[in-house]
Amino acid sequence: MVALGLALGASIAWGGSDFLAGLVARRLPVLTLLVLSQGAGLLLLLALLALAGQPAPPPAAVAIAAGAGLAEMVGFAAFYRSLAIGPMSVVAPIASLAAVVPVAFGLAGGERPAPVAGCGLALAVACGALVAFESDPEGRRTRRIAPGAALAAFSALAFGAFFVGTDAASDSGGVAWTVAVNRSTSFAALALVVLVGRRGLSYRAGDLRPAAIIGLLDAGANALFALALTHGMTSTVGVIGSLYPVTTVALAAVVLHERPRALQALGVAGVLVGIGLVTAWGGA
């Protein structure tokens, strides 16, 4: 029960962070939002690292964790932009397809997941394509790619690379060090972009609080999920944690009154079911 509670908390925190990021990204430049949110999350993860007291990891683990952090930053940039221009009820499920990347990586390395996981992978990919298309707003009997869908798909690939790299780094470097290096690298890269490009961060004092909440929710979710894995089975914890788009879609429906079309709603449900199947049986 402890593991399930922690995983559920991580899922809700991730979904809430994504929803709030979608709102803030519509008025703040993506670079500004990334710097502010990533900086807040970094402070939390450094504090957790200090409390964990883990020994320093080997250089190879640091390099892998740093690469994973860069992939995560690229994923966030694409994802936040997709949230700013597209409906959250469409974008969030597509981005959640990141969960199938580690499975594909394992297949390439010779792993053979259970047949159920293979069915889940096919279901998630097919329904992700279904979600990405919407009816033409002018009423013609044609369909087009929904705004933000392509960026969301790209973010899924980047987040998937982040999952693979973080898993590899944490095997030898420890979870606390890995997530701290992830976020330190991404924040340093963002700071370099700001300095080299001589681009000032455009924001108002009122933007600091929501941006910080986004970063703290995301970093806190990472910590909760990692802690959940130490208390329960990976399959069970993974199923609960992978359902974070449910929170984003639910908030978008309640707060923004977003209503996906019937086929898109079916696609959202299919993506969530497929992700759950892949996460639960991908390592079998």
Side-chain angles (χ1 to χ4, degrees):
M1 292 303 296
V2 172
L4 293 180
L6 290 170
L8 180 60
S11 177
I12 294 173
W14 272 324
S17 174
D18 291 347
F19 173 76
L20 185 56
L23 295 179
V24 177
R26 294 176 182 181
R27 69 173 185 267
L28 273 185
V30 171
L31 179 60
T32 298
L33 176 57
L34 283 171
V35 171
L36 297 179
S37 61
Q38 295 276 298
L42 175 60
L43 293 177
L44 175 61
L45 293 177
L46 289 178
L48 292 177
L49 176 61
L51 292 174
Q54 293 181 345
V62 172
I64 295 174
L70 291 176
E72 182 188 33
M73 181 195 68
V74 172
F76 271 128
F79 184 51
Y80 287 172
R81 180 56 185 165
S82 68
L83 286 170
I85 63 176
M88 295 184 194
S89 57
V90 172
V91 168
I94 293 175
S96 72
L97 289 171
V100 306
V101 175
V103 176
F105 186 83
L107 287 173
E111 295 181 2
R112 293 295 178 265
V116 175
C119 293
L121 178 62
L123 178 65
V125 173
C127 289
L130 189 64
V131 171
F133 287 90
E134 65 178 8
S135 297
D136 190 284
E138 297 181 3
R140 296 188 297 266
R141 293 186 177 182
T142 59
R143 293 191 176 275
R144 64 171 190 171
I145 297 178
L151 282 172
F154 178 75
S155 74
L157 293 176
F159 287 142
F162 164 74
F163 293 152
V164 171
T166 297
D167 178 60
S170 61
D171 286 342
S172 57
V175 172
W177 269 103
T178 297
V179 294
V181 171
N182 286 157
R183 192 54 55 91
S184 298
T185 304
S186 62
F187 185 75
L190 288 169
L192 183 62
V193 170
V194 173
L195 292 175
V196 173
R198 296 182 180 180
R199 301 178 61 181
L201 301 181
S202 176
Y203 62 91
R204 296 175 296 182
D207 295 323
L208 293 175
R209 184 176 180 180
I213 293 174
I214 291 169
L216 293 175
L217 282 173
D218 175 63
N222 289 348
L224 285 174
F225 190 72
L227 186 58
L229 289 172
T230 66
H231 286 82
M233 295 184 297
T234 302
S235 59
T236 304
V237 171
V239 168
I240 303 299
S242 68
L243 297 180
Y244 64 90
V246 174
T247 301
T248 306
V249 172
L251 287 172
V254 173
V255 178
L256 302 179
H257 306 292
E258 287 189 1
R259 294 293 184 270
R261 296 181 182 275
L263 284 178
Q264 288 180 314
L266 180 62
V268 169
V271 167
L272 296 178
V273 171
I275 293 299
L277 293 175
V278 170
T279 307
W281 284 278

